């Protein structure tokens, strides 16, 4: 709520600024741009859209000289420096401001609910995008080739993004809306300066084709890596993201070359029901791959030209895998194949072909019952298994029974009653033997029917809370933010209005002029805690 109020105050101040300019400037041209919408262009470059209802949609016409069909300010496009859309206007038309190469800023009121496709395409002088939460629909390529944009504030109610920032080559950080369900095709394709994508992943179900294609500076996709509801990852979605070391998992479908040419990836787990050809092509640092229980087919060229690949884990029954299929063509005979000891036919076939086969016990899914202190995520299952990789995670760092995982020491022994869901309904006693951090923890399990077993349990990272005080300053003052969060993370900061105050990478706030705004504080993920974000209110008073 505070963020929304601050954004509204910023937009209101911007509108007052535009209005003041319009009053002082002389009218250059005017006309109609909708049934009840008018436009007024002033000699200082300010284009004012006023009235009520929707703006007209316009069409792109390709010719030797690019023109936008029927745009009434066509002859003045290069003179437009700012756009002020007044209360009452409900939509921005398709291609409305396309090619306004000198447009530096625009204001969108709360009455606007939709922005048309290519509305601000090739506005190459535009440096920031600030949209209120009332905007629920943004057409594809709305900011295509806006190569100077460095900062964006998107509506938190936005559910889908399609080619929104395609080829915005200066964009560095994006905070995705909380309501987002789909990162559409070409959403951030060609954003070569994009380093960080922050996301609250609860509702996200799809990452479409070319979504992050060629994002060669992308290092962090906070929370997306741990997203639990993603069903589909599209064709070449992360192609060429050469600095990323971890990717989201999808439950249903991962398309061809989704992770191709990601040269920093060393290990990955995939558990989608359908995976496609050349998925990891030219991932030159890839050493280990795990195929989860849901995978029944490994396609041709899955790890084509992955020269560093040393080991493959096949976790499920994988009855659909053919031992004669071409998916083995790129296998080095020295590579280890780890496979369930129940897959006797495949084990024999691999050995006959000269592969090193390591037989492992199958996974067990155990269900926890009657433990209020057992903190779970999305399901009531903790996956216990013998594999080396953390394939499925369901337990957060925190209390489990009478033991504490995380920063405090474990008791020497504890017991949990758990029900085995596969064939045998006996009870287990569990005792930890090793690490207590998020990730894989070794435990001891005893069952009268099956005897003693050493297994590994996967523990999720906990969600931290950032605590940080608001800042009240006078013009010219400085103030150092001192955020705290569990896990002692690295913090980063961004200001929503650098004209009022700036914030350095170390959290030093410098007041420039009277006004209010917010600072977004990001906490990077740590060994035991996920990434987190919060906002700080900043109030700057005039110097007396």
């Amino acid at each position: 709520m505070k963020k929304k109020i601050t954004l509204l105050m910023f937009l209101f101040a911007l509108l007052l600024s535009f209005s003041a300019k319009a009053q002082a400037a002389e009218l250059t041209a005017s006309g109609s741009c909708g049934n009840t919408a008018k436009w007024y262009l002033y000699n200082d470059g300010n284009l004012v859209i006023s009235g009520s209802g929707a703006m007209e949609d316009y069409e792109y016409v390709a010719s030797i000289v690019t023109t936008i069909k029927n745009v009434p300010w066509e002859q003045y496009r290069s003179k437009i420096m700012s756009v002020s859309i007044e209360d009452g206007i409900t939509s921005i038309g398709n291609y409305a401001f396309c090619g306004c190469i000198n447009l530096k800023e625009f204001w969108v009121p709360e009455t606007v609910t939709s922005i048309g496709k290519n509305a601000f395409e090739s506005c190459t002088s535009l440096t920031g995008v600030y949209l209120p939460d009332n905007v629920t629909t943004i057409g594809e390529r709305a900011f295509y080739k806006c190569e100077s944009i460095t900062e964006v504030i998107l509506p938190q109610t936005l559910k889908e993004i399609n080619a929104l920032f395609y080829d915005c080559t200066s964009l560095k950080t994006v905070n995705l809306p909380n309501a987002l369900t789909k990162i559409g095709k070409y959403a951030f394709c060609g954003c070569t300066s994009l380093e960080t994508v922050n996301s609250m992943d609860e509702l996200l179900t799809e990452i479409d084709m070319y979504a992050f294609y060629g994002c060669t500076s992308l290092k962090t996709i906070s929370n997306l890596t741990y997203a639990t509801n993603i069903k589909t990852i599209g064709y070449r979605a992360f192609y060429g993201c050469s600095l990323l070391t971890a990717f989201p998992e999808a439950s249903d479908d991962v398309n061809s070359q989704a992770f191709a040419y990601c040269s920093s990836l060393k290990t990955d787990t995939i558990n989608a029901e359908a995976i496609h050809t050349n998925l990891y092509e030219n991932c030159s640092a890839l050493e280990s791959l795990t195929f989860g229980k849901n995978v029944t087919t490994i396609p041709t060229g899955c790890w084509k030209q992955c020269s560093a690949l040393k080991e493959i884990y096949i976790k499920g029954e994988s009855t659909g895998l053919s031992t004669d299929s071409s998916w083995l063509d790129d296998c080095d005979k020295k590579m280890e194949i780890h496979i369930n000891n129940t897959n006797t036919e495949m084990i024999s076939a691999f050995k006959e072909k000269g592969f090193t086969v390591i037989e492992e016990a199958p996974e067990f899914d155990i269900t926890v019952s009657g433990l209020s202190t057992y903190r779970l995520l999305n399901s009531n299952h903790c996956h216990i298994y013998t594999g080396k990789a953390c394939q499925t995670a369901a337990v957060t760092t925190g209390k489990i029974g009478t033991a504490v995982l995380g920063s405090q020491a474990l008791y020497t022994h504890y017991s949990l009653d758990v029900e085995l869901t596969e064939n045998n309904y006996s009870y287990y006693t569990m005792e930890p033997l090793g690490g207590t951090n998020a990730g894989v923890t070794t435990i001891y399990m005893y069952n009268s029917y099956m005897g003693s077993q050493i297994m590994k349990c996967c523990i999720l990272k906990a969600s931290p809370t950032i605590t940080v005080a608001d800042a009240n300053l006078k013009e010219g003052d400085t103030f150092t933010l001192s955020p705290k969060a569990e896990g002692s993370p690295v913090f980063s900061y961004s200001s929503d209005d650098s004209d009022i105050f700036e914030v350095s990478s170390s959290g030093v706030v410098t007041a420039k002029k009277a006004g209010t705004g917010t600072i977004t504080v990001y906490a990077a993920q740590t060994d035991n805690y996920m990434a987190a974000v919060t906002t700080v209110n900043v109030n700057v008073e005039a110097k007396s």
Side-chain angles (χ1 to χ4, degrees):
M1 183 64 183
K2 290 181 179 178
K3 180 179 178 181
K4 184 175 181 181
I5 292 172
T6 303
L7 179 58
L8 290 176
M9 293 177 68
F10 164 75
L11 294 174
F12 181 67
L14 189 58
L15 176 60
L16 290 178
S17 172
F18 284 150
S19 298
K21 289 179 182 178
Q23 290 174 4
E26 294 180 0
L27 186 64
T28 299
S30 63
S32 175
C33 55
N35 289 336
T36 53
K38 304 289 185 181
W39 65 276
Y40 304 90
L41 178 64
Y42 294 87
N43 63 355
D44 61 355
N46 184 27
L47 176 64
V48 177
I49 310 294
S50 66
S52 61
M55 289 179 61
E56 289 183 7
D57 287 327
Y58 304 103
E59 299 177 10
Y60 172 79
V61 178
S63 63
I64 297 175
V65 179
T66 300
T67 60
I68 308 302
K69 186 178 180 181
N70 298 328
V71 173
W73 44 83
E74 165 62 29
Q75 62 179 310
Y76 303 107
R77 273 195 299 160
S78 63
K79 298 181 182 298
I80 297 173
M81 307 286 287
S82 59
V83 172
S84 172
I85 301 172
E86 296 185 346
D87 283 335
I89 299 299
T90 58
S91 70
I92 298 174
N94 297 341
Y95 293 96
F97 308 109
C98 175
C100 292
I101 59 174
N102 292 311
L103 177 64
K104 295 181 178 180
E105 55 188 3
F106 66 93
W107 180 82
V108 177
E110 282 200 319
T111 54
V112 169
T113 58
S114 67
I115 297 175
K117 66 180 183 180
N118 302 76
F120 294 91
E121 177 187 337
S122 297
C123 292
T124 53
S125 297
L126 193 63
T127 59
V129 174
Y130 313 99
L131 300 175
D133 287 346
N134 296 63
V135 177
T136 57
T137 304
I138 304 178
E140 63 180 28
R141 303 188 186 219
F143 299 96
Y144 177 48
K145 287 189 177 295
C146 292
E147 59 190 32
S148 297
I149 290 177
T150 60
E151 183 179 26
V152 298
I153 295 178
L154 294 173
Q156 289 302 305
T157 52
L158 199 62
K159 294 183 178 181
E160 187 171 329
I161 293 173
N162 280 307
L164 188 56
F165 296 105
Y166 189 176
D167 274 354
C168 291
T169 53
S170 295
L171 184 62
K172 290 188 175 182
T173 301
V174 171
N175 299 315
L176 297 179
N178 293 340
L180 197 67
T181 61
K182 178 180 179 180
I183 301 176
K185 59 184 179 181
Y186 299 94
F188 301 99
C189 178
C191 293
T192 53
S193 296
L194 185 62
E195 297 178 356
T196 303
V197 176
N198 294 308
S199 167
M200 302 303 289
D201 60 68
E202 288 89 346
L203 301 177
L204 188 65
T205 61
E206 182 177 359
I207 301 174
D208 208 346
M209 59 188 294
Y210 292 96
F212 295 96
Y213 179 94
C215 293
T216 53
S217 298
L218 188 58
K219 298 177 182 177
T220 304
I221 45 176
S222 175
N223 283 2
L224 281 180
T225 306
Y226 305 99
T228 55
N229 296 315
I230 295 176
K231 297 182 180 300
T232 303
I233 297 177
Y235 176 64
R236 292 188 172 182
F238 292 93
Y239 185 103
C241 293
S242 54
L243 298 183
L244 274 180
T245 58
F247 297 92
E249 286 193 33
S251 60
D252 294 354
D253 197 357
V254 182
N255 280 275
S256 299
Q257 295 186 315
F259 309 127
Y261 289 83
C262 294
S263 54
S264 294
L265 181 67
K266 290 187 176 181
T267 181
D268 199 29
T269 296
I270 189 163
N271 199 30
E273 293 179 5
I275 58 178
H276 299 271
T277 58
N278 300 79
L279 183 59
Y280 296 98
E281 181 181 346
N282 255 303
C283 291
S284 55
L286 186 64
E287 297 178 353
S288 176
L289 267 179
T290 298
F291 295 95
K293 280 187 172 184
N294 294 331
V295 178
T296 57
T297 302
I298 299 176
T300 304
C302 185
W303 47 77
K304 183 179 180 181
Q305 297 180 6
C306 295
S307 56
L309 190 61
K310 298 176 182 177
E311 53 190 12
I312 294 174
Y313 292 81
I314 300 173
K315 309 301 285 186
E317 292 298 321
S318 302
T319 53
L321 291 180
S322 169
T323 54
D324 295 321
S325 290
S326 57
W327 69 277
L328 293 168
D329 291 348
D330 290 317
C331 290
D332 186 331
K333 293 292 171 58
K334 295 179 181 179
M335 183 176 64
E336 295 180 352
I337 298 178
H338 297 247
I339 189 169
N340 290 348
N341 55 21
T342 56
N343 289 334
T344 55
E345 183 179 351
M346 294 187 68
I347 289 171
S348 298
F350 289 150
K351 287 181 177 179
E352 287 177 5
K353 290 177 179 290
F355 291 104
T356 301
V357 179
I358 298 176
E359 301 177 38
E360 297 183 342
E363 298 177 4
F364 296 94
D365 289 349
I366 59 173
T367 303
V368 180
S369 58
L371 294 170
S372 60
T373 55
Y374 205 105
R375 297 174 57 197
L376 302 174
L377 179 70
N378 293 333
S379 69
N380 290 325
H381 291 79
C382 172
H383 292 263
I384 307 298
Y385 52 92
T386 57
K388 290 175 64 176
C390 181
Q391 179 181 331
T392 306
V395 184
T396 58
T397 51
K399 291 184 177 180
I400 296 183
T402 57
V404 177
L405 297 174
S407 60
Q408 301 181 41
L410 284 165
Y411 293 143
T412 56
H413 180 274
Y414 66 97
S415 298
L416 297 176
D417 287 334
V418 294
E419 185 176 330
L420 186 65
T421 60
E422 294 183 0
N423 303 322
N424 177 17
Y425 290 89
S426 300
Y427 287 96
Y428 279 91
T429 297
M430 302 168 59
E431 179 181 357
L433 297 177
T436 61
N437 288 334
V440 178
T441 292
T442 305
I443 62 170
Y444 167 85
M445 299 182 70
Y446 178 78
N447 172 263
S448 58
Y449 177 77
M450 298 182 70
S452 300
Q453 296 183 59
I454 292 178
M455 294 202 164
K456 295 178 184 286
C457 182
C458 190
I459 304 167
L460 276 185
K461 298 185 179 213
S463 298
T465 300
I466 303 174
T467 56
V468 58
D470 291 340
N472 293 290
L473 306 89
K474 290 189 176 181
E475 292 175 336
D477 288 351
T478 60
F479 175 80
T480 302
L481 298 172
S482 300
K484 294 181 180 179
E486 298 92 339
S488 301
V490 174
F491 293 100
S492 58
Y493 313 89
S494 66
S495 165
D496 74 339
D497 194 337
S498 56
D499 289 335
I500 297 175
F501 57 85
E502 293 180 342
V503 59
S504 71
S505 58
S506 59
V508 177
V509 182
T510 303
K512 299 171 70 175
K513 68 177 183 180
T516 60
T518 59
I519 292 173
T520 304
V521 180
Y522 305 97
Q525 62 177 306
T526 61
D527 287 342
N528 286 311
Y529 294 91
M530 294 188 294
V533 62
T534 191
T535 56
V536 176
N537 294 313
V538 179
N539 179 49
V540 179
E541 296 179 356
K543 211 166 197 178
S544 53

